[in-house]
Amino acid sequence: MSTDDTKKSRIPSSDLRVEYCTEADAEQIAVGMYEAFGEGWWGSIEPQAMRPPLESTRVSRLAKRVRGTFSNPDMHWLKAVYVPTNSIAGIAGWMGPDHPFHNIWLRSAAEFFGWAEKCKWSEADMEDMWAGTDKEAWDEKFLKYERVRKEIVGEEKHWYLAPLFTFPEFQGKGVASLLLRWAIEKADATDPVTPLYLESSLAGYPIYKRFGFVPIKDYNMLRRGPLPETDEPKEAEADKA
């Protein structure tokens, strides 16, 4: 698609609004994560042979884990809503600067944040929601993310994006940019500016660079302030991170 075609297809700003997700959106978050990140990302931690027969069961299990995160006061689940149909166009999960340095996707998060008690999860509930995952591979993946994040930001407070995705019918239309700008504006309003951190595929690097993110390692990017006025973000955008 050409740049002109992309611009023509962008949704008018008046037709999009950003608002906080509620627990009722947890299933949409789960569906979107499976759709956006695909087999290349999920295959090692939820192997085909371990999955339940019904995809709806798989979605339900992930959604239940997502619901626990809503009790974290500095976990910001946002949705971009397409106003004409009131449908969710994209979702971002931002861990704010005061969020404890503990990834919400780690299996240990339920105990660390006290979700089991808050959500009244039994041991059977906990077993069921992690059924179908390779627990060792899951922990290895997210612990690696945490080790690298710690190496890059240390004890410095920061915004952490995990995840960002746009539903297929809304991709390339300005949705992801809107969800990025929500946190960027908050980060840039502090003195000094609060860093923003994310993980991205190499394909996403050029887009995030336009918003001031700098590649640090293989899939890690950090932003420490706004771009010069001459380097305003282009219209192209990432549809997942």
Side-chain angles (χ1 to χ4, degrees), residues 14-15 28 90 145-146 148-149 164 176 185 213 228 236 239-240:
S14 59
D15 283 350
Q28 277 285 83
Y145 287 166
E146 287 298 84
V148 175
R149 181 162 68 112
L164 167 68
E185 289 174 3
F213 286 89
D239 291 306
K240 64 180 180 180

Side-chain angles (χ1 to χ4, degrees), residues 28 45 237:
Q28 277 285 83
I45 56 177
E237 63 174 47

Side-chain angles (χ1 to χ4, degrees), residues 205-220:
Y205 270 22
I207 293 94
Y208 290 116
K209 282 180 179 179
R210 294 179 185 130
F211 284 90
F213 286 89
V214 177
I216 305 296
K217 293 195 174 186
D218 290 344
Y219 52 85
N220 317 88

Side-chain angles (χ1 to χ4, degrees), residues 27-119:
E27 192 149 320
Q28 277 285 83
I29 294 171
V31 168
M33 288 184 66
Y34 283 133
E35 286 185 356
F37 297 102
E39 201 58 38
W41 196 87
W42 289 103
S44 63
I45 56 177
E46 292 188 7
Q48 289 277 358
M50 297 181 68
R51 294 177 192 173
L54 297 176
E55 181 67 11
S56 59
T57 302
R58 186 178 176 223
V59 167
S60 178
R61 287 169 175 167
L62 179 56
K64 190 165 188 176
R65 303 199 297 270
V66 168
R67 285 188 189 96
T69 70
F70 279 86
S71 65
N72 292 16
D74 208 30
M75 180 67 210
H76 304 270
W77 281 111
L78 302 168
K79 58 186 175 183
V81 178
Y82 181 54
V83 175
T85 59
N86 203 37
S87 53
I88 298 177
I91 287 174
W94 286 101
M95 298 180 214
D98 293 320
H99 194 277
F101 201 106
H102 196 99
N103 196 308
I104 61 167
W105 301 109
L106 285 166
R107 287 196 305 129
S108 58
E111 180 178 352
F112 182 89
F113 292 110
W115 297 339
E117 183 177 350
K118 292 173 184 174
C119 300

